[in-house]
Each structure stands twice: as structure tokens, then as C-alpha cells.
Amino acid sequence: MIVPEGRGIAAQPPGGTFRILHVSTGNVCRSPITERLTRHALADRLGLTGLAGGTESGVGGVIVESAGTWGHEGAPMEANAEAVLASLGADAAGFRGRELLDEHVIRADLVLTATRDHRAQVISMGHSAGLRTFTLKEFTRLVRAIDPATLPDPLEGGVVGRARALVQAAAALRGWLLAPSVEADEVLDPYGAPMPFFQAVGEEIQVALEPVLTALTGVGPADGLRGRESGRDGA
């Protein structure tokens, strides 16, 4: 078992891998931004900053990818989306759009979509996807209600086991914790919009991802992490 420097969390846990699939329409704006922000944050939290780019090797056993329901197969990310990622410290290099296929849904452990319509399209593909498919902001809302103490400790079993438990817990809460409105669960499409709107969408996605990544890894943002590690060292 390889231990990432400065983190103490298993880089390749014995439970295999956990695959996150981000879905939007064209796979050139929202889902690429979400994919690369997720990779960047995972690598930062787990101390594996060299693995945040365009490979599918995974970060801490977590593989992050994306596709579009009307995906622009092979297309580059929108220039404004690349600029948003750069402003948020993430890497857009090597990205190519993909059309959503059955195989993507079959192998995904968690599907996070931009809108409810995307979620419905993924679920309609079958493959028992209903219990592991959420809109991003829906999943954020559910994760906030989950007590982290009820999840496996990633320092003992790795991130993968914790991620699987997180998805099960969120699915169990879905019927009990409803959104205040339809719009509350959706990320608007910035395609064709000016840069300020793209930036706002990127920041919205980053905010929605924050509690998800904290719950998934058991590690807070970089500044909070240092405090946590200091506390462990002094315990």
C-alpha cells in the first residue's frame, strides 16, 4: 500500500477503484469543468498533485471522467471553460469530448449530472443507475446531511470504501431531503455565454463540489487539512 506523502491515506486502496462520471449536454462546458475541478481537488487533498491532469489512472483509487448526452465526440473544451479552470487552478490539458454511452454508465459508481433532465436520461439507460445517479447539487445537498462519523475512516480502509458508503447513504436520504425548488438542483448551461457567466458557473460548481470532496476523502481544503494533520500528530 502506497501512502501519499503528508496525507496518510491509501493511494491505491484494497477495495479497487471508484469511478465518478460527470454528465452534461455537449461535454464541452459544465461536465469538463466539473471533471477537472474534481481531479484537481482530489489530487490536492490526497497529496498527489501530479495526477490531476488528463490521464485516467485515477487519484487515490478514484477515477473521474465525463461525457455528454449530446456529446461533441473528440471536441476540445470550450475556450471559456478552459479559462475558468485556469482561474481556479485546475488543468484543462488533453481534454476531448465524449458522447455518453451505456458502457460509461455501467462502470460508473457515481454519476453526477448538471440538471435533472440529464439525470433522467442517465437513469432511462437502465443498468440499475437510479441509486447512483444524482444531479451535482442534489448530491451536495444530501451529503451535507450525512454525519461523517458514520462513514468508514479513509485512513484505515482508503477513499474507495468511504466513497461507496457515501453514495449508499445519499441514496437512502433522497426521498426525505427534498430540494426547495427545481432550480436548486441544477447548474445552468453557459454554452455561448460571455466569460462572466462562465466564471459564475465554474465557481458555482466549485462550491457544490467542496462538501462532496470533503465527505468523500475525509479531508478538508488544504488550509483545514494542515490543522487536522497537526491535531493527529499531537494526539
Side-chain angles (χ1 to χ4, degrees), residues 18-24 27 31-32 34-36 38-39 42 55-56 62-68 95-96 98 100 103-112:
F18 182 89
R19 191 178 292 265
I20 300 173
L21 174 66
H22 293 294
V23 175
S24 62
N27 194 216
S31 51
T34 315
E35 172 196 310
R36 293 309 175 89
T38 302
R39 289 188 185 183
L42 283 172
T55 69
E56 200 190 59
V62 181
I63 296 172
V64 186
E65 56 189 353
S66 64
F95 180 85
R96 287 294 179 268
R98 304 190 307 173
L100 181 66
E103 65 187 67
H104 300 145
V105 177
I106 289 169
R107 65 187 184 179
D109 298 289
L110 172 62
V111 184
L112 296 176

PDB file of all heavy atoms in Angstrom, residues 18-24 27 31-32 34-36 38-39 42 55-56 62-68 95-96 98 100 103-112:
ATOM      1  N   PHE A  18     -12.964   3.525  -7.629  1.00  0.00           N
ATOM      2  CA  PHE A  18     -14.282   4.136  -7.559  1.00  0.00           C
ATOM      3  C   PHE A  18     -14.336   5.133  -8.709  1.00  0.00           C
ATOM      4  O   PHE A  18     -13.492   6.024  -8.809  1.00  0.00           O
ATOM      5  CB  PHE A  18     -14.485   4.835  -6.219  1.00  0.00           C
ATOM      6  CG  PHE A  18     -15.839   5.453  -6.041  1.00  0.00           C
ATOM      7  CD1 PHE A  18     -16.890   4.713  -5.507  1.00  0.00           C
ATOM      8  CD2 PHE A  18     -16.068   6.777  -6.390  1.00  0.00           C
ATOM      9  CE1 PHE A  18     -18.146   5.281  -5.344  1.00  0.00           C
ATOM     10  CE2 PHE A  18     -17.314   7.351  -6.224  1.00  0.00           C
ATOM     11  CZ  PHE A  18     -18.357   6.598  -5.694  1.00  0.00           C
ATOM     12  N   ARG A  19     -15.341   4.980  -9.573  1.00  0.00           N
ATOM     13  CA  ARG A  19     -15.403   5.795 -10.789  1.00  0.00           C
ATOM     14  C   ARG A  19     -16.546   6.800 -10.711  1.00  0.00           C
ATOM     15  O   ARG A  19     -17.709   6.426 -10.520  1.00  0.00           O
ATOM     16  CB  ARG A  19     -15.583   4.888 -12.004  1.00  0.00           C
ATOM     17  CG  ARG A  19     -15.400   5.584 -13.347  1.00  0.00           C
ATOM     18  CD  ARG A  19     -15.547   4.596 -14.487  1.00  0.00           C
ATOM     19  NE  ARG A  19     -14.455   3.645 -14.524  1.00  0.00           N
ATOM     20  CZ  ARG A  19     -13.357   3.771 -15.283  1.00  0.00           C
ATOM     21  NH1 ARG A  19     -13.218   4.823 -16.061  1.00  0.00           N
ATOM     22  NH2 ARG A  19     -12.429   2.835 -15.273  1.00  0.00           N
ATOM     23  N   ILE A  20     -16.195   8.081 -10.874  1.00  0.00           N
ATOM     24  CA  ILE A  20     -17.171   9.169 -10.900  1.00  0.00           C
ATOM     25  C   ILE A  20     -17.344   9.629 -12.343  1.00  0.00           C
ATOM     26  O   ILE A  20     -16.362   9.923 -13.029  1.00  0.00           O
ATOM     27  CB  ILE A  20     -16.720  10.360 -10.033  1.00  0.00           C
ATOM     28  CG1 ILE A  20     -16.528   9.937  -8.578  1.00  0.00           C
ATOM     29  CG2 ILE A  20     -17.739  11.501 -10.133  1.00  0.00           C
ATOM     30  CD1 ILE A  20     -15.931  11.030  -7.700  1.00  0.00           C
ATOM     31  N   LEU A  21     -18.598   9.704 -12.783  1.00  0.00           N
ATOM     32  CA  LEU A  21     -18.913  10.166 -14.140  1.00  0.00           C
ATOM     33  C   LEU A  21     -19.722  11.453 -14.050  1.00  0.00           C
ATOM     34  O   LEU A  21     -20.806  11.473 -13.462  1.00  0.00           O
ATOM     35  CB  LEU A  21     -19.712   9.091 -14.883  1.00  0.00           C
ATOM     36  CG  LEU A  21     -20.254   9.466 -16.260  1.00  0.00           C
ATOM     37  CD1 LEU A  21     -19.105   9.697 -17.248  1.00  0.00           C
ATOM     38  CD2 LEU A  21     -21.197   8.381 -16.777  1.00  0.00           C
ATOM     39  N   HIS A  22     -19.200  12.529 -14.622  1.00  0.00           N
ATOM     40  CA  HIS A  22     -19.918  13.803 -14.691  1.00  0.00           C
ATOM     41  C   HIS A  22     -20.586  13.919 -16.053  1.00  0.00           C
ATOM     42  O   HIS A  22     -19.947  13.662 -17.087  1.00  0.00           O
ATOM     43  CB  HIS A  22     -18.958  14.974 -14.477  1.00  0.00           C
ATOM     44  CG  HIS A  22     -18.375  15.038 -13.103  1.00  0.00           C
ATOM     45  ND1 HIS A  22     -19.147  15.288 -11.993  1.00  0.00           N
ATOM     46  CD2 HIS A  22     -17.101  14.880 -12.653  1.00  0.00           C
ATOM     47  CE1 HIS A  22     -18.373  15.297 -10.913  1.00  0.00           C
ATOM     48  NE2 HIS A  22     -17.132  15.041 -11.298  1.00  0.00           N
ATOM     49  N   VAL A  23     -21.854  14.320 -16.061  1.00  0.00           N
ATOM     50  CA  VAL A  23     -22.627  14.346 -17.303  1.00  0.00           C
ATOM     51  C   VAL A  23     -23.291  15.712 -17.497  1.00  0.00           C
ATOM     52  O   VAL A  23     -23.914  16.253 -16.575  1.00  0.00           O
ATOM     53  CB  VAL A  23     -23.715  13.242 -17.297  1.00  0.00           C
ATOM     54  CG1 VAL A  23     -24.601  13.349 -18.538  1.00  0.00           C
ATOM     55  CG2 VAL A  23     -23.076  11.859 -17.216  1.00  0.00           C
ATOM     56  N   SER A  24     -23.147  16.243 -18.711  1.00  0.00           N
ATOM     57  CA  SER A  24     -23.890  17.435 -19.121  1.00  0.00           C
ATOM     58  C   SER A  24     -24.382  17.188 -20.553  1.00  0.00           C
ATOM     59  O   SER A  24     -24.535  16.038 -20.950  1.00  0.00           O
ATOM     60  CB  SER A  24     -23.017  18.692 -19.015  1.00  0.00           C
ATOM     61  OG  SER A  24     -21.899  18.602 -19.871  1.00  0.00           O
ATOM     62  N   ASN A  27     -20.676  18.057 -23.289  1.00  0.00           N
ATOM     63  CA  ASN A  27     -19.386  17.642 -22.739  1.00  0.00           C
ATOM     64  C   ASN A  27     -18.256  18.555 -23.212  1.00  0.00           C
ATOM     65  O   ASN A  27     -17.155  18.106 -23.510  1.00  0.00           O
ATOM     66  CB  ASN A  27     -19.080  16.189 -23.090  1.00  0.00           C
ATOM     67  CG  ASN A  27     -17.922  15.594 -22.281  1.00  0.00           C
ATOM     68  OD1 ASN A  27     -17.145  14.789 -22.796  1.00  0.00           O
ATOM     69  ND2 ASN A  27     -17.792  15.977 -21.021  1.00  0.00           N
ATOM     70  N   SER A  31     -19.647  19.677 -17.720  1.00  0.00           N
ATOM     71  CA  SER A  31     -19.057  18.427 -17.223  1.00  0.00           C
ATOM     72  C   SER A  31     -17.534  18.411 -17.300  1.00  0.00           C
ATOM     73  O   SER A  31     -16.889  17.862 -16.394  1.00  0.00           O
ATOM     74  CB  SER A  31     -19.667  17.218 -17.940  1.00  0.00           C
ATOM     75  OG  SER A  31     -19.638  17.349 -19.341  1.00  0.00           O
ATOM     76  N   PRO A  32     -16.887  19.014 -18.324  1.00  0.00           N
ATOM     77  CA  PRO A  32     -15.425  19.088 -18.272  1.00  0.00           C
ATOM     78  C   PRO A  32     -14.910  19.925 -17.107  1.00  0.00           C
ATOM     79  O   PRO A  32     -13.919  19.575 -16.470  1.00  0.00           O
ATOM     80  CB  PRO A  32     -15.056  19.733 -19.610  1.00  0.00           C
ATOM     81  CG  PRO A  32     -16.203  19.469 -20.500  1.00  0.00           C
ATOM     82  CD  PRO A  32     -17.414  19.468 -19.614  1.00  0.00           C
ATOM     83  N   THR A  34     -16.422  20.345 -14.261  1.00  0.00           N
ATOM     84  CA  THR A  34     -16.642  19.566 -13.050  1.00  0.00           C
ATOM     85  C   THR A  34     -15.630  18.431 -12.936  1.00  0.00           C
ATOM     86  O   THR A  34     -15.095  18.167 -11.854  1.00  0.00           O
ATOM     87  CB  THR A  34     -18.075  19.004 -13.028  1.00  0.00           C
ATOM     88  OG1 THR A  34     -18.991  20.018 -13.415  1.00  0.00           O
ATOM     89  CG2 THR A  34     -18.441  18.521 -11.637  1.00  0.00           C
ATOM     90  N   GLU A  35     -15.365  17.751 -14.051  1.00  0.00           N
ATOM     91  CA  GLU A  35     -14.380  16.662 -14.063  1.00  0.00           C
ATOM     92  C   GLU A  35     -13.015  17.153 -13.598  1.00  0.00           C
ATOM     93  O   GLU A  35     -12.393  16.570 -12.700  1.00  0.00           O
ATOM     94  CB  GLU A  35     -14.257  16.092 -15.477  1.00  0.00           C
ATOM     95  CG  GLU A  35     -13.121  15.092 -15.642  1.00  0.00           C
ATOM     96  CD  GLU A  35     -12.763  14.843 -17.087  1.00  0.00           C
ATOM     97  OE1 GLU A  35     -13.677  14.564 -17.901  1.00  0.00           O
ATOM     98  OE2 GLU A  35     -11.556  14.930 -17.424  1.00  0.00           O
ATOM     99  N   ARG A  36     -12.533  18.233 -14.206  1.00  0.00           N
ATOM    100  CA  ARG A  36     -11.182  18.684 -13.910  1.00  0.00           C
ATOM    101  C   ARG A  36     -11.068  19.337 -12.533  1.00  0.00           C
ATOM    102  O   ARG A  36     -10.025  19.228 -11.879  1.00  0.00           O
ATOM    103  CB  ARG A  36     -10.678  19.612 -15.017  1.00  0.00           C
ATOM    104  CG  ARG A  36     -10.489  18.888 -16.362  1.00  0.00           C
ATOM    105  CD  ARG A  36      -9.630  17.615 -16.180  1.00  0.00           C
ATOM    106  NE  ARG A  36      -9.527  16.833 -17.384  1.00  0.00           N
ATOM    107  CZ  ARG A  36      -8.591  16.987 -18.326  1.00  0.00           C
ATOM    108  NH1 ARG A  36      -7.689  17.939 -18.197  1.00  0.00           N
ATOM    109  NH2 ARG A  36      -8.575  16.198 -19.373  1.00  0.00           N
ATOM    110  N   THR A  38     -12.816  18.333  -9.975  1.00  0.00           N
ATOM    111  CA  THR A  38     -12.829  17.176  -9.079  1.00  0.00           C
ATOM    112  C   THR A  38     -11.449  16.541  -9.016  1.00  0.00           C
ATOM    113  O   THR A  38     -10.928  16.249  -7.931  1.00  0.00           O
ATOM    114  CB  THR A  38     -13.856  16.135  -9.552  1.00  0.00           C
ATOM    115  OG1 THR A  38     -15.152  16.733  -9.604  1.00  0.00           O
ATOM    116  CG2 THR A  38     -13.897  14.935  -8.600  1.00  0.00           C
ATOM    117  N   ARG A  39     -10.835  16.317 -10.166  1.00  0.00           N
ATOM    118  CA  ARG A  39      -9.489  15.721 -10.193  1.00  0.00           C
ATOM    119  C   ARG A  39      -8.484  16.598  -9.435  1.00  0.00           C
ATOM    120  O   ARG A  39      -7.658  16.094  -8.672  1.00  0.00           O
ATOM    121  CB  ARG A  39      -9.020  15.548 -11.636  1.00  0.00           C
ATOM    122  CG  ARG A  39      -9.735  14.459 -12.409  1.00  0.00           C
ATOM    123  CD  ARG A  39      -9.041  14.261 -13.755  1.00  0.00           C
ATOM    124  NE  ARG A  39      -9.755  13.317 -14.598  1.00  0.00           N
ATOM    125  CZ  ARG A  39      -9.329  12.928 -15.791  1.00  0.00           C
ATOM    126  NH1 ARG A  39      -8.189  13.410 -16.270  1.00  0.00           N
ATOM    127  NH2 ARG A  39     -10.019  12.069 -16.511  1.00  0.00           N
ATOM    128  N   LEU A  42      -9.130  16.414  -5.628  1.00  0.00           N
ATOM    129  CA  LEU A  42      -8.727  15.111  -5.093  1.00  0.00           C
ATOM    130  C   LEU A  42      -7.216  15.015  -4.981  1.00  0.00           C
ATOM    131  O   LEU A  42      -6.674  14.575  -3.953  1.00  0.00           O
ATOM    132  CB  LEU A  42      -9.245  13.985  -5.985  1.00  0.00           C
ATOM    133  CG  LEU A  42     -10.720  13.616  -5.869  1.00  0.00           C
ATOM    134  CD1 LEU A  42     -11.094  12.629  -6.970  1.00  0.00           C
ATOM    135  CD2 LEU A  42     -11.026  13.021  -4.502  1.00  0.00           C
ATOM    136  N   THR A  55      -4.975  12.102 -17.526  1.00  0.00           N
ATOM    137  CA  THR A  55      -4.936  10.646 -17.594  1.00  0.00           C
ATOM    138  C   THR A  55      -6.116  10.047 -16.863  1.00  0.00           C
ATOM    139  O   THR A  55      -6.795  10.706 -16.092  1.00  0.00           O
ATOM    140  CB  THR A  55      -3.642  10.109 -16.954  1.00  0.00           C
ATOM    141  OG1 THR A  55      -3.688  10.342 -15.543  1.00  0.00           O
ATOM    142  CG2 THR A  55      -2.424  10.782 -17.548  1.00  0.00           C
ATOM    143  N   GLU A  56      -6.353   8.750 -17.114  1.00  0.00           N
ATOM    144  CA  GLU A  56      -7.453   8.061 -16.443  1.00  0.00           C
ATOM    145  C   GLU A  56      -6.921   7.142 -15.347  1.00  0.00           C
ATOM    146  O   GLU A  56      -7.593   6.230 -14.902  1.00  0.00           O
ATOM    147  CB  GLU A  56      -8.243   7.242 -17.481  1.00  0.00           C
ATOM    148  CG  GLU A  56      -9.646   6.890 -17.026  1.00  0.00           C
ATOM    149  CD  GLU A  56     -10.320   5.901 -17.948  1.00  0.00           C
ATOM    150  OE1 GLU A  56      -9.795   4.791 -18.129  1.00  0.00           O
ATOM    151  OE2 GLU A  56     -11.382   6.246 -18.475  1.00  0.00           O
ATOM    152  N   VAL A  62      -9.650   6.811  -7.107  1.00  0.00           N
ATOM    153  CA  VAL A  62     -10.859   7.411  -7.667  1.00  0.00           C
ATOM    154  C   VAL A  62     -10.576   7.866  -9.096  1.00  0.00           C
ATOM    155  O   VAL A  62      -9.669   8.656  -9.347  1.00  0.00           O
ATOM    156  CB  VAL A  62     -11.337   8.607  -6.820  1.00  0.00           C
ATOM    157  CG1 VAL A  62     -12.607   9.200  -7.418  1.00  0.00           C
ATOM    158  CG2 VAL A  62     -11.572   8.188  -5.378  1.00  0.00           C
ATOM    159  N   ILE A  63     -11.350   7.352 -10.046  1.00  0.00           N
ATOM    160  CA  ILE A  63     -11.234   7.734 -11.454  1.00  0.00           C
ATOM    161  C   ILE A  63     -12.369   8.703 -11.769  1.00  0.00           C
ATOM    162  O   ILE A  63     -13.531   8.436 -11.457  1.00  0.00           O
ATOM    163  CB  ILE A  63     -11.309   6.499 -12.366  1.00  0.00           C
ATOM    164  CG1 ILE A  63     -10.116   5.577 -12.104  1.00  0.00           C
ATOM    165  CG2 ILE A  63     -11.362   6.906 -13.834  1.00  0.00           C
ATOM    166  CD1 ILE A  63     -10.198   4.248 -12.813  1.00  0.00           C
ATOM    167  N   VAL A  64     -12.022   9.836 -12.366  1.00  0.00           N
ATOM    168  CA  VAL A  64     -13.005  10.872 -12.659  1.00  0.00           C
ATOM    169  C   VAL A  64     -13.038  11.124 -14.159  1.00  0.00           C
ATOM    170  O   VAL A  64     -12.001  11.375 -14.781  1.00  0.00           O
ATOM    171  CB  VAL A  64     -12.670  12.180 -11.923  1.00  0.00           C
ATOM    172  CG1 VAL A  64     -13.786  13.208 -12.134  1.00  0.00           C
ATOM    173  CG2 VAL A  64     -12.452  11.927 -10.434  1.00  0.00           C
ATOM    174  N   GLU A  65     -14.229  11.038 -14.747  1.00  0.00           N
ATOM    175  CA  GLU A  65     -14.377  11.241 -16.183  1.00  0.00           C
ATOM    176  C   GLU A  65     -15.691  11.963 -16.462  1.00  0.00           C
ATOM    177  O   GLU A  65     -16.466  12.242 -15.538  1.00  0.00           O
ATOM    178  CB  GLU A  65     -14.312   9.905 -16.922  1.00  0.00           C
ATOM    179  CG  GLU A  65     -15.318   8.885 -16.439  1.00  0.00           C
ATOM    180  CD  GLU A  65     -15.091   7.502 -17.036  1.00  0.00           C
ATOM    181  OE1 GLU A  65     -14.233   7.364 -17.926  1.00  0.00           O
ATOM    182  OE2 GLU A  65     -15.795   6.563 -16.613  1.00  0.00           O
ATOM    183  N   SER A  66     -15.965  12.240 -17.732  1.00  0.00           N
ATOM    184  CA  SER A  66     -17.197  12.944 -18.084  1.00  0.00           C
ATOM    185  C   SER A  66     -17.643  12.555 -19.479  1.00  0.00           C
ATOM    186  O   SER A  66     -16.887  11.990 -20.276  1.00  0.00           O
ATOM    187  CB  SER A  66     -17.001  14.466 -17.999  1.00  0.00           C
ATOM    188  OG  SER A  66     -16.040  14.906 -18.946  1.00  0.00           O
ATOM    189  N   ALA A  67     -18.904  12.873 -19.776  1.00  0.00           N
ATOM    190  CA  ALA A  67     -19.487  12.612 -21.092  1.00  0.00           C
ATOM    191  C   ALA A  67     -20.723  13.493 -21.246  1.00  0.00           C
ATOM    192  O   ALA A  67     -21.208  14.080 -20.276  1.00  0.00           O
ATOM    193  CB  ALA A  67     -19.858  11.132 -21.249  1.00  0.00           C
ATOM    194  N   GLY A  68     -21.229  13.569 -22.471  1.00  0.00           N
ATOM    195  CA  GLY A  68     -22.393  14.400 -22.737  1.00  0.00           C
ATOM    196  C   GLY A  68     -23.526  13.626 -23.367  1.00  0.00           C
ATOM    197  O   GLY A  68     -23.295  12.731 -24.198  1.00  0.00           O
ATOM    198  N   PHE A  95      -8.004  17.371 -22.795  1.00  0.00           N
ATOM    199  CA  PHE A  95      -9.431  17.003 -22.765  1.00  0.00           C
ATOM    200  C   PHE A  95     -10.001  16.839 -24.168  1.00  0.00           C
ATOM    201  O   PHE A  95      -9.721  17.628 -25.069  1.00  0.00           O
ATOM    202  CB  PHE A  95     -10.249  18.052 -22.007  1.00  0.00           C
ATOM    203  CG  PHE A  95     -11.708  17.697 -21.953  1.00  0.00           C
ATOM    204  CD1 PHE A  95     -12.191  16.855 -20.970  1.00  0.00           C
ATOM    205  CD2 PHE A  95     -12.590  18.161 -22.930  1.00  0.00           C
ATOM    206  CE1 PHE A  95     -13.525  16.490 -20.945  1.00  0.00           C
ATOM    207  CE2 PHE A  95     -13.931  17.796 -22.906  1.00  0.00           C
ATOM    208  CZ  PHE A  95     -14.393  16.959 -21.911  1.00  0.00           C
ATOM    209  N   ARG A  96     -10.845  15.820 -24.332  1.00  0.00           N
ATOM    210  CA  ARG A  96     -11.614  15.620 -25.566  1.00  0.00           C
ATOM    211  C   ARG A  96     -13.023  15.178 -25.199  1.00  0.00           C
ATOM    212  O   ARG A  96     -13.212  14.314 -24.338  1.00  0.00           O
ATOM    213  CB  ARG A  96     -10.954  14.565 -26.455  1.00  0.00           C
ATOM    214  CG  ARG A  96      -9.674  15.036 -27.128  1.00  0.00           C
ATOM    215  CD  ARG A  96      -9.966  16.144 -28.143  1.00  0.00           C
ATOM    216  NE  ARG A  96      -8.751  16.649 -28.797  1.00  0.00           N
ATOM    217  CZ  ARG A  96      -8.031  17.670 -28.368  1.00  0.00           C
ATOM    218  NH1 ARG A  96      -8.383  18.296 -27.244  1.00  0.00           N
ATOM    219  NH2 ARG A  96      -6.959  18.068 -29.033  1.00  0.00           N
ATOM    220  N   ARG A  98     -16.804  13.540 -25.181  1.00  0.00           N
ATOM    221  CA  ARG A  98     -17.303  12.183 -25.429  1.00  0.00           C
ATOM    222  C   ARG A  98     -18.824  12.179 -25.397  1.00  0.00           C
ATOM    223  O   ARG A  98     -19.442  12.909 -24.626  1.00  0.00           O
ATOM    224  CB  ARG A  98     -16.795  11.199 -24.361  1.00  0.00           C
ATOM    225  CG  ARG A  98     -15.300  11.126 -24.209  1.00  0.00           C
ATOM    226  CD  ARG A  98     -14.887   9.961 -23.327  1.00  0.00           C
ATOM    227  NE  ARG A  98     -15.567   9.972 -22.048  1.00  0.00           N
ATOM    228  CZ  ARG A  98     -15.481   8.997 -21.145  1.00  0.00           C
ATOM    229  NH1 ARG A  98     -14.753   7.926 -21.400  1.00  0.00           N
ATOM    230  NH2 ARG A  98     -16.113   9.076 -19.995  1.00  0.00           N
ATOM    231  N   LEU A 100     -22.142  10.240 -24.301  1.00  0.00           N
ATOM    232  CA  LEU A 100     -22.483   9.296 -23.241  1.00  0.00           C
ATOM    233  C   LEU A 100     -22.900   7.956 -23.829  1.00  0.00           C
ATOM    234  O   LEU A 100     -23.810   7.877 -24.661  1.00  0.00           O
ATOM    235  CB  LEU A 100     -23.617   9.861 -22.376  1.00  0.00           C
ATOM    236  CG  LEU A 100     -24.060   8.989 -21.197  1.00  0.00           C
ATOM    237  CD1 LEU A 100     -22.961   8.869 -20.161  1.00  0.00           C
ATOM    238  CD2 LEU A 100     -25.328   9.569 -20.562  1.00  0.00           C
ATOM    239  N   GLU A 103     -21.681   1.946 -21.750  1.00  0.00           N
ATOM    240  CA  GLU A 103     -20.528   1.455 -21.002  1.00  0.00           C
ATOM    241  C   GLU A 103     -20.073   2.444 -19.934  1.00  0.00           C
ATOM    242  O   GLU A 103     -19.583   2.046 -18.878  1.00  0.00           O
ATOM    243  CB  GLU A 103     -19.366   1.155 -21.947  1.00  0.00           C
ATOM    244  CG  GLU A 103     -18.809   2.371 -22.656  1.00  0.00           C
ATOM    245  CD  GLU A 103     -17.780   2.009 -23.711  1.00  0.00           C
ATOM    246  OE1 GLU A 103     -18.166   1.388 -24.722  1.00  0.00           O
ATOM    247  OE2 GLU A 103     -16.596   2.342 -23.508  1.00  0.00           O
ATOM    248  N   HIS A 104     -20.251   3.748 -20.200  1.00  0.00           N
ATOM    249  CA  HIS A 104     -19.878   4.752 -19.207  1.00  0.00           C
ATOM    250  C   HIS A 104     -20.749   4.626 -17.962  1.00  0.00           C
ATOM    251  O   HIS A 104     -20.265   4.732 -16.830  1.00  0.00           O
ATOM    252  CB  HIS A 104     -20.022   6.162 -19.786  1.00  0.00           C
ATOM    253  CG  HIS A 104     -19.182   6.416 -20.981  1.00  0.00           C
ATOM    254  ND1 HIS A 104     -19.595   7.217 -22.027  1.00  0.00           N
ATOM    255  CD2 HIS A 104     -17.947   5.965 -21.323  1.00  0.00           C
ATOM    256  CE1 HIS A 104     -18.652   7.261 -22.946  1.00  0.00           C
ATOM    257  NE2 HIS A 104     -17.648   6.501 -22.543  1.00  0.00           N
ATOM    258  N   VAL A 105     -22.038   4.427 -18.175  1.00  0.00           N
ATOM    259  CA  VAL A 105     -22.973   4.315 -17.054  1.00  0.00           C
ATOM    260  C   VAL A 105     -22.760   2.997 -16.306  1.00  0.00           C
ATOM    261  O   VAL A 105     -22.777   2.959 -15.074  1.00  0.00           O
ATOM    262  CB  VAL A 105     -24.423   4.417 -17.562  1.00  0.00           C
ATOM    263  CG1 VAL A 105     -25.412   4.218 -16.416  1.00  0.00           C
ATOM    264  CG2 VAL A 105     -24.656   5.771 -18.234  1.00  0.00           C
ATOM    265  N   ILE A 106     -22.531   1.927 -17.042  1.00  0.00           N
ATOM    266  CA  ILE A 106     -22.360   0.612 -16.434  1.00  0.00           C
ATOM    267  C   ILE A 106     -21.196   0.603 -15.453  1.00  0.00           C
ATOM    268  O   ILE A 106     -21.291   0.047 -14.345  1.00  0.00           O
ATOM    269  CB  ILE A 106     -22.145  -0.462 -17.528  1.00  0.00           C
ATOM    270  CG1 ILE A 106     -23.448  -0.694 -18.300  1.00  0.00           C
ATOM    271  CG2 ILE A 106     -21.640  -1.772 -16.933  1.00  0.00           C
ATOM    272  CD1 ILE A 106     -23.276  -1.533 -19.548  1.00  0.00           C
ATOM    273  N   ARG A 107     -20.093   1.230 -15.827  1.00  0.00           N
ATOM    274  CA  ARG A 107     -18.901   1.137 -14.980  1.00  0.00           C
ATOM    275  C   ARG A 107     -18.798   2.252 -13.941  1.00  0.00           C
ATOM    276  O   ARG A 107     -17.899   2.229 -13.096  1.00  0.00           O
ATOM    277  CB  ARG A 107     -17.645   1.119 -15.846  1.00  0.00           C
ATOM    278  CG  ARG A 107     -17.379   2.378 -16.645  1.00  0.00           C
ATOM    279  CD  ARG A 107     -16.206   2.176 -17.580  1.00  0.00           C
ATOM    280  NE  ARG A 107     -15.871   3.402 -18.291  1.00  0.00           N
ATOM    281  CZ  ARG A 107     -14.868   3.499 -19.161  1.00  0.00           C
ATOM    282  NH1 ARG A 107     -14.130   2.435 -19.418  1.00  0.00           N
ATOM    283  NH2 ARG A 107     -14.616   4.635 -19.768  1.00  0.00           N
ATOM    284  N   ALA A 108     -19.722   3.210 -13.975  1.00  0.00           N
ATOM    285  CA  ALA A 108     -19.672   4.307 -13.007  1.00  0.00           C
ATOM    286  C   ALA A 108     -20.227   3.880 -11.650  1.00  0.00           C
ATOM    287  O   ALA A 108     -21.272   3.242 -11.563  1.00  0.00           O
ATOM    288  CB  ALA A 108     -20.456   5.507 -13.536  1.00  0.00           C
ATOM    289  N   ASP A 109     -19.538   4.270 -10.585  1.00  0.00           N
ATOM    290  CA  ASP A 109     -20.019   4.049  -9.223  1.00  0.00           C
ATOM    291  C   ASP A 109     -20.866   5.221  -8.740  1.00  0.00           C
ATOM    292  O   ASP A 109     -21.688   5.077  -7.833  1.00  0.00           O
ATOM    293  CB  ASP A 109     -18.837   3.853  -8.273  1.00  0.00           C
ATOM    294  CG  ASP A 109     -18.020   2.629  -8.625  1.00  0.00           C
ATOM    295  OD1 ASP A 109     -18.524   1.509  -8.412  1.00  0.00           O
ATOM    296  OD2 ASP A 109     -16.890   2.783  -9.127  1.00  0.00           O
ATOM    297  N   LEU A 110     -20.638   6.391  -9.340  1.00  0.00           N
ATOM    298  CA  LEU A 110     -21.402   7.592  -9.014  1.00  0.00           C
ATOM    299  C   LEU A 110     -21.512   8.431 -10.275  1.00  0.00           C
ATOM    300  O   LEU A 110     -20.502   8.726 -10.916  1.00  0.00           O
ATOM    301  CB  LEU A 110     -20.693   8.391  -7.915  1.00  0.00           C
ATOM    302  CG  LEU A 110     -21.258   9.780  -7.593  1.00  0.00           C
ATOM    303  CD1 LEU A 110     -22.693   9.689  -7.074  1.00  0.00           C
ATOM    304  CD2 LEU A 110     -20.366  10.492  -6.580  1.00  0.00           C
ATOM    305  N   VAL A 111     -22.743   8.791 -10.641  1.00  0.00           N
ATOM    306  CA  VAL A 111     -22.981   9.670 -11.789  1.00  0.00           C
ATOM    307  C   VAL A 111     -23.535  10.988 -11.261  1.00  0.00           C
ATOM    308  O   VAL A 111     -24.555  11.002 -10.559  1.00  0.00           O
ATOM    309  CB  VAL A 111     -23.972   9.053 -12.792  1.00  0.00           C
ATOM    310  CG1 VAL A 111     -24.120   9.961 -14.013  1.00  0.00           C
ATOM    311  CG2 VAL A 111     -23.514   7.657 -13.217  1.00  0.00           C
ATOM    312  N   LEU A 112     -22.862  12.078 -11.581  1.00  0.00           N
ATOM    313  CA  LEU A 112     -23.292  13.408 -11.165  1.00  0.00           C
ATOM    314  C   LEU A 112     -23.593  14.229 -12.413  1.00  0.00           C
ATOM    315  O   LEU A 112     -22.728  14.424 -13.262  1.00  0.00           O
ATOM    316  CB  LEU A 112     -22.206  14.093 -10.322  1.00  0.00           C
ATOM    317  CG  LEU A 112     -21.886  13.406  -8.997  1.00  0.00           C
ATOM    318  CD1 LEU A 112     -20.730  14.113  -8.293  1.00  0.00           C
ATOM    319  CD2 LEU A 112     -23.118  13.376  -8.095  1.00  0.00           C
TER     320      LEU A 112
END
